[in-house]
Amino acid sequence: MEEKRRENCKLRSDVMKSGTDRALARLLMMAGGITKEQVKKPLIGVVNSYTNIFTGHAVLDKICRYVEDGILMAGGTPAVTNTIALCDGMCENTPGMLYPLPSRDIIADSVEAYVNGHSLDGLICIANCDKIVPGMLMAIMRLNIPAIFLSGGPSLPPDGGYDDATKFAKIMAATEDDIDAERNEIENSPMGPCGGCNSGMGTAVSMQIMSEVLGIGVLGNSTVPHFFTRRYNMGVWAGQRIVEMVYEDLKPSDIVSKESFKNCLRVDMMMGCSTNTTLHLPAIAAEAGYKITLEDFAKASRETPQIAKIYPSMSPHSMEDVRLAGGIEALLHQGIKGGYLNGDVNTIYGKPMCEMVAHAKVLNPEVIRPFDNPYTKEGGLAILKGSLAPDGCVIKTGGVLPEMYEHSGRAKVFDSEPECYKAIINGEIQPGDCVVIRYEGPAGGPGMREMLTITNIIRAKGLDRSVSLITDGRFSGGSVGGVIGHICPEAIKGGLIGLVEDGDIIEYSIPKGTIDLKVDEETLAKRREKWVCPPPRIRTGMLAQYAKLATSAVRGARMLGDPSIEEDLVSIDY
């Protein structure tokens, strides 16, 4: 029966390779080393973002080979290619930091071009880091052919206390004139076995978790380290499964639904994931035809306790601890059982999520706490709105000290991250200040810089208990403290953040969900009359294109050629 079904299956790739007029296509494939028999089989795209230049992706070539083996075992033909990968950590506090977020859309476009250009039948995307994971998930939703996402996995927490957040902050904060023996020791200590950049709750891990919750990723993506046998088995299984999915015609639109994205928002809050999820989830959802707003995040936060805390959010726990506590599977099972998650959503396994995690158990209730004993009654992210950010902004509450849940400070204003960096190094920031970094949004940057270096310097100098940082740029999942990003509208679009002056008082309150500039309207009106929109910082190349086409941060900061497309998106109705 199975063989007959396969024989009668009309493959998507037939349009490219079958028929007398397609002899050239067949010739080109066979001249490249693919046999005549392999040409007839399902062509499975394997898009791999391997690079040897940084740890997060240096392992992906090996995983790719296991995926290829699985495809061949199942009777498919792997069609392998690469896409770009940038490391946010390497780009921090350099001109290169303008590129990672725009690269997300380029990655999605490159996957689309490769897959549709060759009419491939199925797709496996292999990635590990901050923008590459969401970029590939965007492509998967957009293409809507049978697809699986597989990550390279996190690293293990290394020996020597490297992942203690305070010590890591000292590395990031070090300057040429400020290197001491302790910093040298930390910097030269091993990071742990090659895999993801760390085992903490950064953006990479956050988005790997989201791939599992969406039902598109292999379970274990965010917790199983690269070099574990299970990771290689995951690769072989994914290769075999994608061929089955082609014959089943099981597409992302058959798997991902409104409820899938609602589950993502709730798990986001349960885990205290990166603030970058407020950029990536709306962008991924839009490719699937759905609309997620900041208000959806806010509602999810108000209704969902944070039951897991992973460093650097003032916690000793790592993703390895989560794995040993039962993994994301255990958290999903607990969430379904507790009524917080919908277990009827579909998965790449061809079974509902509730069935896939039915046997998972929480093995350490301190790492994954029960809902009646959460770390906090509300979620790990909070959305703030007020005069300074009428469209909204975001803060990672899971990483905020209690004394910084509310803050009123004197503004110290900088028109770029490099200006702020110099000021902090020179000791110009004092306790009680509210640091404002503007013109770093999607259009203003352009590219919406991530500011991990700045937040780590503030922490290393012991200012995180009294200094807040507010920006229309964004932060790493590794940033903690009273740091508020994604101020919308951004400065270059006429947002109020562009009118702030040194000495102004800025107040925010996480419990109240507010953020306000305490300057009277008459004064602001005079400032508006004098304000002049600065010229574009970059006028050519991909950054100029991104500045022109990127939506606001509240809409995912994704490149959009035709804004009317957003009118067709369906609300998830949180």
Side-chain angles (χ1 to χ4, degrees), residues 6-249:
R6 292 194 173 202
E7 289 176 5
N8 296 332
C9 180
K10 175 69 175 175
L11 295 174
R12 185 173 184 263
S13 60
D14 287 344
V15 69
M16 183 268 297
K17 66 188 183 184
S18 298
T20 55
D21 62 327
R22 305 308 305 157
L24 177 59
R26 295 191 293 273
L27 173 62
L28 290 170
M29 285 190 283
M30 288 187 287
I34 295 176
T35 67
K36 186 175 182 179
E37 291 72 24
Q38 286 179 310
V39 170
K40 299 175 183 178
K41 296 177 179 181
L43 297 183
I44 307 299
V46 183
V47 183
N48 178 14
S49 51
Y50 162 79
T51 175
N52 70 324
I53 199 171
F54 62 94
T55 177
H57 282 63
V59 300
L60 300 185
D61 57 334
K62 300 177 181 65
I63 293 175
C64 183
R65 288 196 286 271
Y66 283 96
V67 169
E68 291 179 63
D69 287 344
I71 293 169
L72 292 169
M73 290 177 190
T77 299
V80 183
T81 193
N82 273 63
T83 189
I84 60 171
L86 277 74
C87 176
D88 292 55
M90 292 171 63
C91 297
E92 294 290 347
N93 200 34
T94 73
M97 196 65 243
L98 298 173
Y99 284 89
L101 184 57
S103 79
R104 178 194 67 180
D105 292 69
I106 291 174
I107 290 162
D109 291 347
S110 70
V111 177
E112 175 195 355
Y114 178 71
V115 171
N116 278 348
H118 296 118
S119 302
L120 300 181
D121 299 298
L123 172 65
I124 292 184
C125 288
I126 308 172
N128 223 34
C129 288
D130 296 18
K131 309 307 170 296
I132 305 93
V133 175
M136 288 186 167
L137 289 173
M138 288 168 66
I140 285 172
M141 300 302 170
R142 184 188 303 174
L143 289 163
N144 198 33
I145 65 171
I148 293 173
F149 175 78
L150 178 64
S151 77
S155 64
L156 282 177
D159 296 331
Y162 172 88
D163 278 314
D164 176 88
T166 302
K167 290 184 178 180
F168 185 56
K170 288 184 177 181
I171 299 174
M172 297 292 290
T175 66
E176 291 293 335
D177 301 323
D178 198 26
I179 298 284
D180 57 25
E182 182 184 11
R183 282 179 174 139
N184 272 322
E185 181 182 353
I186 297 167
E187 182 175 352
N188 293 325
S189 67
M191 287 187 67
C194 188
C197 51
N198 60 49
S199 190
M201 186 55 76
T203 304
V205 166
S206 297
M207 295 313 301
Q208 290 167 21
I209 291 170
M210 294 301 111
S211 77
E212 296 182 52
V213 181
L214 280 172
I216 292 294
V218 180
L219 289 172
N221 262 339
S222 60
T223 54
V224 178
H226 156 69
F227 59 91
F228 277 30
T229 301
R230 183 182 166 191
R231 174 66 60 180
Y232 301 131
N233 291 342
M234 288 161 63
V236 174
W237 176 88
Q240 293 174 311
R241 177 61 186 146
I242 192 62
V243 177
E244 295 173 355
M245 288 172 62
V246 167
Y247 289 117
E248 294 169 4
D249 195 28

Side-chain angles (χ1 to χ4, degrees), residues 259-287:
E259 294 301 322
S260 304
F261 285 108
K262 290 179 185 178
N263 283 349
C264 283
L265 297 184
R266 291 168 186 145
V267 171
D268 195 352
M269 301 307 158
M270 291 177 194
M271 298 289 291
C273 293
S274 167
T275 53
N276 284 309
T277 58
T278 65
L279 296 174
H280 300 322
L281 284 175
I284 295 165
E287 297 289 358

Side-chain angles (χ1 to χ4, degrees), residues 387 496 499 501 504 517-531:
S387 62
L496 191 61
L499 303 182
E501 295 184 359
D504 288 349
L517 176 64
K518 309 304 285 188
V519 176
D520 63 83
E521 282 299 325
E522 184 179 350
T523 302
L524 291 175
K526 292 178 181 178
R527 293 181 187 179
R528 283 193 184 93
E529 290 178 1
K530 296 179 181 179
W531 182 79

